[in-house]
Amino acid sequence: MEGLVVEVGAGGDAVRAQKLAARLGVPVAPVGTAQAAGGLCLLVGEKGLSLEGDGMSLAADLSRMVPRLRAGNLNRELVVRAARIRGAAGPLTAVDATAGMGEDSLLLAAAGFSVTLFERDPVICALLADALARAASDPALAEAVSRMELRGEDSVLALPALGFSPDVVLLDPMFPERRKSAAVKKKLQLIQRLERPCDDERGLMDAARTAGPRRIVVKRPAKGPWLAGEKPSYTVAGKAIRYDCYAL
C-alpha cells in the first residue's frame, strides 16, 4: 500500500500499531510523517483507529447509529424494508458483499438478520473491525453486533464458495456521491484514495447470484443507473438513495 503508514497517537497502543502495520505490510512512522509527505496514515489513538490524510480524519463509528436502531425508526429504514421477506420462517441471513463502514449491515442485524460482511480493502476492513470491537462493548449495540461476522475478503471470489444460501445479498458498489455535506465529502475523498468505484458490475451481480439468495438488494443513488444495466423486480426509494430489489 504505497504511501500508507501506521502512526501512534496520544494514548494509542504501540503494540497494536505494530501488529496492524505488520498485517498490512506498511511501516510504523512517527506522528505527522504521512501529513508531511501528503500520504495517508492509520492512526492508532486512545479512542480507536482512524484514517488520516489531506487534513481530514475518518473513523468508523457505529455509536451514532443508535437512534436509527430504535424500533419505530428501524422499521422505516429503506434497507430493512428492502431486505425483509414476508412470511419467512426462522431467523434470516444476509451477506453484505461490499461492507464499507458497516452501517447497512448494522441496520439489518438490528432487524434480526445474521449478517456476514465482506470487505476487500484491508484498510477499510481494519477501520470496520475496530468499530465492531468498540460497538460490542456498547449495550445499545452489542446484541446487533453479535449477529455480524466480518471477513476481509473479496466477495466476488468468496460468494461462489460461501457454503450456505443466504436469504439476502446486499450490494453497495461505490458510486460518485452528489450530496454536498462535508461529512459525506470527507468520507468519499479518503475512501476513494484506497478503493475505487466498482469496475466490474456484471461480475459483482453474477457472484451474488452464485450464492443462491432469495433476493439481491442493490443500493444506488436515487437517479443512478441500474447495476450492470439490469432492471430490478421492484425498488424501495428515498430522496437521495434507493434500493433495487431482485427477486430470485
Side-chain angles (χ1 to χ4, degrees):
M1 274 169 238
E2 186 177 351
L4 178 71
V5 299
V6 173
E7 299 179 5
V8 184
D13 185 335
V15 174
R16 180 189 179 192
Q18 290 285 354
K19 291 180 178 178
L20 177 61
R23 189 166 71 248
L24 295 175
V26 301
V28 176
V31 171
T33 298
Q35 181 177 348
L40 293 175
C41 85
L42 276 171
L43 182 67
V44 180
E46 184 178 8
K47 295 183 179 180
L49 191 64
S50 61
L51 179 66
E52 312 277 335
D54 300 329
M56 296 177 288
S57 176
L58 173 66
D61 180 13
L62 297 176
S63 64
R64 66 185 185 84
M65 298 284 290
V66 170
R68 296 174 64 181
L69 305 187
R70 294 172 185 143
N73 296 332
L74 186 63
N75 292 331
R76 292 193 293 268
E77 289 288 343
L78 297 180
V79 68
V80 174
R81 290 167 52 197
R84 275 186 172 150
I85 298 174
R86 292 182 181 179
L92 295 176
T93 57
V95 170
D96 186 344
T98 48
M101 293 299 173
E103 294 178 355
D104 278 347
S105 285
L106 178 63
L107 292 169
L108 292 180
F113 284 80
S114 293
V115 187
T116 302
L117 301 83
F118 287 99
E119 177 47 56
R120 67 180 182 179
D121 185 275
V123 176
I124 297 173
C125 189
L127 291 169
L128 179 53
D130 177 71
L132 289 171
R134 285 183 280 111
S137 63
D138 184 336
L141 296 170
E143 182 181 355
V145 170
S146 72
R147 292 191 285 271
M148 300 170 68
E149 177 191 1
L150 176 60
R151 294 169 59 173
E153 303 173 51
D154 186 336
S155 60
V156 172
L157 302 177
L159 282 168
L162 190 59
F164 68 96
S165 296
D167 293 292
V168 175
V169 172
L170 173 65
L171 305 177
D172 180 10
M174 195 182 302
F175 52 79
E177 182 58 68
R178 296 181 182 277
R179 286 173 290 175
K180 299 184 183 299
S181 77
V184 168
K185 185 176 181 182
K186 172 181 69 176
K187 174 180 175 180
L188 284 168
Q189 283 181 342
L190 288 177
I191 287 179
Q192 288 182 349
R193 287 188 60 177
L194 299 169
E195 187 172 46
R196 303 304 301 170
C198 177
D199 57 3
D200 185 10
E201 296 184 353
R202 173 48 55 193
L204 187 59
M205 283 289 282
D206 288 348
R209 279 195 169 86
T210 65
R214 300 164 71 176
R215 184 178 303 167
I216 297 173
V217 175
V218 183
K219 186 176 185 178
R220 303 300 288 163
K223 296 182 180 180
W226 299 323
L227 188 67
E230 187 170 339
K231 183 179 179 179
S233 305
Y234 60 95
T235 292
V236 178
K239 291 182 179 179
I241 61 170
R242 70 173 197 269
Y243 289 87
D244 292 339
C245 303
Y246 299 80
L248 305 176

